[in-house]
Amino acid sequence: MRTHLSLTGSAAACALLLAGCGGGDDPAPLPQLSAATGATLSSCADLGARFTAAGLTITSAAAQAAGALTVAGTPIAAHCLVRGELNRRTSPQDGQTYAINFEMRLPNAWNGRFFHQGNGGTDGAVSQAVGAFGGGPLTNALHQGFAVISSDAGHNGAQNANGAFGVDAQARLDYGYQAAMKLTPIAKGLIAAAYGKGPDRSYFGGCSNGGRHTFVAMTRMPEQYDGYLAGAPGYRLPLAAIANIYGAKRYATVVDSGANAATQAGLSTAFTAAERATVAAAVVAKCDALDGASDGLVQDTTACQAAFNLNTDVATCGGGTTTNCLSAAKKTAIAPIFSGAVDGQGRKFYASFPYDSGLGSGGIPFWEFGASLNLDTGGVGVIWGVPPANPATFNGPNLALNGLIDDMLAAVQATNATYTESALSFMQPVNPTNLATLKNRGAKVLVYHGVSDPIFSVDDTAVWYDGLRAANGGDASNFARFFRVPGMGHCSGGPATDQFDALTPLVNWVEKGEAPASLVATARGAGNAGGVNAEVPAGWAANRSRPLCPYPQVARLRTGATNLESADSFSCQ
């Protein structure tokens, strides 16, 4: 039986696990920030002429009619779309031309708020600036009247191939944190030019790498934003990537005979869809009722990790048992992935992953058997490692299957005369358990994370939040709350209630002092306006709802309640 969230207690481990452990701060009552007030867009086409800044080029500013964009079938109101670039330059390392490209959407009828959208993956594309969250969103920041900015974080799609932009020292830093810092005053200046005043309230948010961007903004720009909304925050992304490569190495020891472990299809034979479904079913059988309701959702994640044992709760193949089982060799290979990746000396460098109902989800093969061979390796080898590998000849699967974990850990901590910041510096938040500056301003933090996320562990986010609580006298809930989403995969999907609006509760907390006691989340069954989630179990109501509870609380069935499809039957305890 594995130990949930087991950690070493040394100062060195603290630095590795949390990029520094913060100290406490004053428990005095926190300031209440005032509500934003709206304004009307003065004009659109001439914004490029009315706002200038060093290094800024506005390439277009064009009015967008109401309904040009929609969310869940609902028209988004008329707005101005501004596109531009910042700091065009030629790299001294690879000779490529780089710039921070962005788009900003400014509503004609503005609510007085600014939303900085952090994007996913390794960036490299200007995603539509709408500020969307969760599975099949029914609303987004632009729909609610925010001015929204989105960027490629300083490199384009071609430069993203095989992590090639990592050869350029400045592109690394822009991706890590500097692009967001440079765009913040640009965005606020554009808003002031458009409406005659700057934003009354500013928010930063995103999921996955966008969640990492949000954690970085919390620590590097605590005075610039009033609310921070982070989903599935890969806040220790280089270490999470190496942990995923560690998983690939474990899987490679038990692939089918004749399978090519250097491909996603071959590596996936180590833990097939049927085998993952078997383990998921065993988790549900053992843990479903721990929250008081047998409903296919494991709400009490922490209790489940203490109760579930892979060796004894999943049948071992052999002796006539050939289905709904795992071989002893596969159990031996897979268990360490859940208990947490370790280096060559057996020291844990990333968090455990919980056993959960979403282990059979369709998104897992891409992350565990594909990204581990290609995306994560490109990050470690080219974007973060010092010195970077040559992207033209770099072979990701070869690094994953034959490289040493210790060498990878050393590379992401290394610097030299050209690459003067290590990846653990430019990619990770600075001392993320010390949020005193934003806290004492009255700013708020809301974090959510799928329990079945296969790439960024919800346990890692719990480690951060436990550290934040410890740094604040044991309770950080007056300015930061963390919500686990049972069954949900990476940012969305899985057998989960994954549709929820987290932005409105954050605004109400920041501007009205209404702390979110829970978030109401809904399944996306047949007919859902935001898009159907094919992984909603057939036995659930199409609109099943649940409260998402602030950690460490758990949604438990109310005494006497019988309707297992309604959030009203559950309370956070």
Side-chain angles (χ1 to χ4, degrees):
M1 186 177 300
R2 72 190 181 89
T3 302
H4 186 58
L5 299 181
S6 62
L7 301 171
T8 52
S10 67
C14 187
L16 185 61
L17 285 164
L18 289 171
C21 295
D25 44 60
D26 196 292
L30 302 179
Q32 174 59 57
L33 299 178
S34 60
T37 57
T40 301
L41 183 71
S42 56
S43 61
C44 177
D46 63 346
L47 266 178
R50 289 192 289 120
F51 176 72
T52 60
L56 173 67
T57 300
I58 299 297
T59 55
S60 66
Q64 307 294 297
L69 296 180
T70 63
V71 55
T74 302
I76 290 176
H79 59 279
C80 178
L81 171 58
V82 178
R83 290 193 169 110
E85 66 174 34
L86 185 66
N87 297 351
R88 175 174 285 268
R89 60 187 176 80
T90 300
S91 166
Q93 283 83 42
D94 63 14
Q96 295 284 315
T97 299
Y98 289 87
I100 302 168
N101 293 282
F102 69 91
E103 75 169 40
M104 189 162 191
R105 295 179 184 265
L106 302 113
N108 290 11
W110 177 51
N111 66 10
R113 302 180 180 99
F114 162 46
F115 188 89
H116 195 141
Q117 173 181 309
N119 292 320
T122 49
D123 286 291
V126 182
S127 298
Q128 203 169 66
V130 295
F133 284 94
L138 300 178
T139 184
N140 56 43
L142 183 64
H143 179 242
Q144 294 180 17
F146 287 72
V148 184
I149 195 168
S150 167
S151 87
D152 64 4
H155 58 277
N156 61 35
Q159 293 159 343
N160 219 8
N162 234 10
F165 74 89
V167 173
D168 180 70
Q170 183 58 52
R172 289 181 172 212
L173 302 182
D174 284 338
Y175 166 52
Y177 67 96
Q178 290 188 7
M181 295 182 73
K182 293 168 184 173
L183 284 175
T184 294
I186 297 297
K188 292 185 176 184
L190 275 168
I191 288 171
Y195 301 107
K197 70 167 191 172
D200 294 322
R201 293 287 160 252
S202 297
Y203 295 80
F204 199 115
C207 195
S208 187
N209 178 61
R212 179 197 67 83
H213 278 303
T214 306
F215 266 50
V216 170
M218 281 157 44
T219 62
R220 290 187 181 270
M221 294 186 285
E223 72 291 335
Q224 290 295 324
Y225 293 89
D226 306 303
Y228 300 82
L229 178 52
Y235 74 102
R236 298 197 299 147
L237 204 161
L239 298 178
I242 298 172
N244 206 32
I245 294 170
Y246 170 89
K249 289 179 176 294
R250 302 293 306 179
Y251 288 131
T253 65
V254 288
V255 296
D256 284 356
S257 177
N260 182 0
T263 67
Q264 178 174 327
L267 195 61
S268 68
T269 65
F271 198 17
T272 67
E275 289 168 336
R276 289 185 287 107
T278 291
V279 176
V283 171
V284 171
K286 189 75 173 186
C287 301
D288 189 3
L290 294 175
D291 53 31
S294 295
D295 57 358
L297 281 168
V298 178
Q299 298 285 355
D300 198 339
T301 299
T302 303
C304 182
Q305 307 320 302
F308 182 78
N309 187 306
L310 182 65
N311 281 327
T312 58
D313 292 321
V314 176
T316 302
C317 300
T321 302
T322 58
T323 59
N324 299 321
C325 60
L326 281 180
S327 70
K330 289 195 174 188
K331 288 183 178 182
T332 298
I334 292 167
I337 299 172
F338 285 93
S339 60
V342 297
D343 65 14
Q345 291 71 49
R347 297 172 300 197
K348 184 182 290 189
F349 64 86
Y350 192 68
S352 52
F353 281 82
Y355 293 103
D356 191 47
S357 61
L359 291 176
S361 298
I364 286 180
F366 168 76
W367 290 110
E368 298 208 355
F369 311 127
S372 58
L373 296 174
N374 297 296
L375 296 182
D376 296 320
T377 48
V380 173
V382 186
I383 301 172
W384 306 317
V386 174
N390 182 347
T393 58
F394 179 71
N395 185 314
N398 181 61
L399 177 65
L401 300 180
N402 299 310
L404 297 177
I405 293 294
D406 287 4
D407 289 347
M408 298 178 206
L409 291 170
V412 301
Q413 297 178 71
T415 62
N416 64 20
T418 301
Y419 306 98
T420 57
E421 284 192 51
S422 75
L424 297 193
S425 171
F426 70 76
M427 286 297 293
Q428 299 189 157
V430 182
N431 199 359
T433 59
N434 184 356
L435 302 181
T437 299
L438 72 82
K439 171 186 176 179
N440 293 329
R441 287 183 52 246
K444 308 299 182 192
V445 175
L446 195 156
V447 179
Y448 65 91
H449 203 146
V451 178
S452 288
D453 190 329
I455 183 65
F456 301 138
S457 174
V458 69
D459 286 358
D460 202 38
T461 302
V463 169
W464 161 75
Y465 193 73
D466 285 340
L468 187 67
R469 291 200 298 168
N472 288 273
D475 185 5
S477 64
N478 61 341
F479 75 100
R481 297 194 178 192
F482 161 45
F483 298 82
R484 294 180 291 189
V485 189
M488 190 174 84
H490 187 58
C491 292
S492 64
T497 54
D498 69 340
Q499 187 177 66
F500 50 91
D501 173 14
L503 181 56
T504 299
L506 178 59
V507 170
N508 290 339
W509 193 12
V510 170
E511 301 181 23
K512 299 178 183 179
E514 299 173 358
S518 65
L519 305 177
V520 176
T522 304
R524 292 183 289 125
N528 188 278
V532 172
N533 172 12
E535 295 181 315
V536 171
W540 292 14
N543 62 345
R544 169 181 279 198
S545 60
R546 286 292 183 274
L548 305 180
C549 298
Y551 175 90
Q553 293 183 10
V554 171
R556 299 191 186 280
L557 189 67
R558 295 180 185 273
T559 302
T562 58
N563 183 0
L564 297 184
E565 305 305 323
S566 172
D568 292 339
S569 297
F570 296 81
S571 63
C572 293
Q573 301 174 25

